[in-house]
């Protein structure tokens, strides 16, 4: 989308002050710990792009607040490399660099903001290569510490710690399917047919590169088969987020030109667990 179209949509430049004012009107405030998902183009033309958005968020949460994002690892070995011919697997195992929280790029599919935040001085990124997150602020180290190798979206994860800290989730122009927090709900929900994945990735442990095997819910194709309860072509998380909003959980507003939503993390996870269990445990 070209700059003129962005300017038209947002009624002029969406400055740092304008973003901060809109975020405050949405309900974000000093001291908040907030995990955010952003579609930058939805906001309009933002002078300074990602850095301006992060600065505006920091302006609103202040020195006692903390920002958190989903990172992942853009250059992780493919999950299915273990099905490749043996000589190809051997080459990957011998030469693929280990995940480095300070250097490894965030998954590009998560947009520009996670990579921009995790590069900020003082940011802390978690140790898990596939499910890594990053945070900036006084609660960052506590959120990111000892990210569980297995079930990295479940109890003891940064997502669970966000809930324990009374944190929040901001969809800043981003659609409902981006709400990573709902993977915690999938991990906790008790329903038949939960799907899991096992995969291998290289990490450094005490300075030594090693390949580890990880076990997690299937966060790529879905921890459950939602097809009986979600209409064709719709994302399950988007459906759950709409139901959440319909139930009065979450506050809607506009930031620049972006339709945005602010949720308290605890009630959002509780709703997600209930929705999954009620819909997937229902008689056929």
């Amino acid at each position: 989308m070209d700059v003129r179209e962005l300017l038209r949509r947002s009624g002029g430049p969406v400055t740092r002050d304008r973003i901060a004012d809109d975020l405050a009107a949405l309900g974000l405030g000093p001291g908040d710990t907030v995990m955010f998902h952003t579609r930058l183009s939805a906001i309009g033309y933002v002078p300074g792009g990602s850095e301006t958005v992060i600065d505006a968020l920091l302006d609103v949460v202040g020195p006692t607040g903390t920002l958190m994002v989903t990172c992942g690892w853009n250059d992780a070995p493919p999950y299915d490399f273990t099905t490749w011919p043996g000589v190809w697997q051997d080459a990957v195992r011998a030469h693929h660099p280990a995940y480095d929280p300070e250097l490894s790029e965030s998954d590009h599919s998560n947009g520009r903001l996670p990579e921009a935040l995790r590069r900020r001085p003082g940011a802390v990124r978690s140790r898990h290569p596939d499910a890594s997150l990053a945070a900036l602020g006084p609660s960052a180290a506590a959120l990111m510490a000892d990210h569980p190798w297995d079930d990295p979206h479940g109890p003891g994860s940064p997502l669970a710690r966000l809930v324990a800290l009374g944190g929040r989730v901001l969809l800043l122009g981003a659609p409902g399917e981006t709400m990573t927090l709902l993977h915690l709900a999938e991990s906790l929900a008790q329903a038949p047919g939960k799907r899991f994945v096992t995969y291998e990735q290289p990490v450094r442990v005490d300075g030594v590169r090693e390949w580890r095997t990880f076990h997690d819910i299937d966060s790529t194709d879905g921890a459950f088969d939602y097809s009986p309860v979600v209409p064709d072509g719709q994302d399950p998380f988007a459906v759950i987020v709409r139901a959440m909003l319909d139930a009065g959980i979450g506050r809607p507003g506009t930031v620049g030109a972006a339709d945005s939503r602010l949720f308290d993390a605890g009630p959002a996870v509780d709703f997600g667990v209930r929705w999954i269990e009620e819909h997937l445990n229902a008689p056929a």
Side-chain angles (χ1 to χ4, degrees), residues 165-176:
L165 287 176
R168 314 181 83 181
V169 173
L170 171 66
L171 300 183
L172 184 52

Side-chain angles (χ1 to χ4, degrees), residues 103-138:
L103 298 178
S104 299
E105 281 190 73
S106 303
D107 189 336
H108 294 177
S109 67
N110 290 325
R112 294 168 53 190
L113 271 294
E115 180 67 6
L117 184 87
R118 73 111 189 147
R119 288 174 174 266
R120 285 270 175 137
V124 181
R125 188 177 183 185
S126 69
R127 69 179 184 176
H128 197 286
D130 190 64
S132 72
L133 299 100
L136 177 66

Side-chain angles (χ1 to χ4, degrees), residues 36 123 198 218 274:
F36 66 95
T198 299
D218 187 346
R274 286 197 307 273

Side-chain angles (χ1 to χ4, degrees), residues 35-215:
M35 181 176 188
F36 66 95
H37 305 272
T38 307
R39 180 168 288 174
L40 189 58
S41 62
I43 301 173
Y45 174 65
V46 179
S50 301
E51 301 299 339
T52 296
V53 174
I54 293 171
D55 285 337
L57 283 159
L58 290 171
D59 289 342
V60 177
V61 302
T64 60
T66 298
L67 306 182
M68 177 170 154
V69 289
T70 297
C71 290
W73 181 16
N74 194 66
D75 298 309
Y79 296 139
D80 66 349
F81 91 93
T82 53
T83 67
W84 296 357
V87 66
W88 295 1
Q89 292 186 47
D90 291 344
V92 171
R93 291 186 186 282
H95 299 289
H96 198 294
Y99 167 73
D100 186 325
E102 294 185 4
L103 298 178
S104 299
E105 281 190 73
S106 303
D107 189 336
H108 294 177
S109 67
N110 290 325
R112 294 168 53 190
L113 271 294
E115 180 67 6
L117 184 87
R118 73 111 189 147
R119 288 174 174 266
R120 285 270 175 137
V124 181
R125 188 177 183 185
S126 69
R127 69 179 184 176
H128 197 286
D130 190 64
S132 72
L133 299 100
L136 177 66
S139 296
L143 285 164
M144 297 297 115
D146 299 325
H147 193 165
W149 294 123
D150 293 319
D151 198 13
H153 296 97
S157 69
L159 299 177
R161 291 173 183 166
L162 178 72
V163 171
L165 287 176
R168 314 181 83 181
V169 173
L170 171 66
L171 300 183
L172 184 52
E177 55 260 35
T178 65
M179 189 187 276
T180 303
L181 184 69
L182 286 176
H183 288 311
L184 173 59
E186 289 185 315
S187 176
L188 297 174
Q190 299 298 312
K194 187 179 291 192
R195 300 188 292 216
F196 298 90
V197 292
T198 299
Y199 54 93
E200 297 179 46
Q201 292 185 348
V203 294
R204 287 199 176 275
V205 178
D206 297 326
V208 178
R209 175 181 172 274
E210 64 178 50
W211 283 83
R212 290 189 65 103
T213 299
F214 300 92
H215 185 70

Side-chain angles (χ1 to χ4, degrees), residues 258-282:
D259 291 333
S260 301
R261 305 289 185 266
L262 182 65
F263 302 86
D264 290 326
V269 170
D270 290 344
F271 183 92
V273 171
R274 286 197 307 273
W275 191 98
I276 292 168
E277 292 181 344
E278 290 172 3
H279 285 76
L280 298 184
N281 285 319

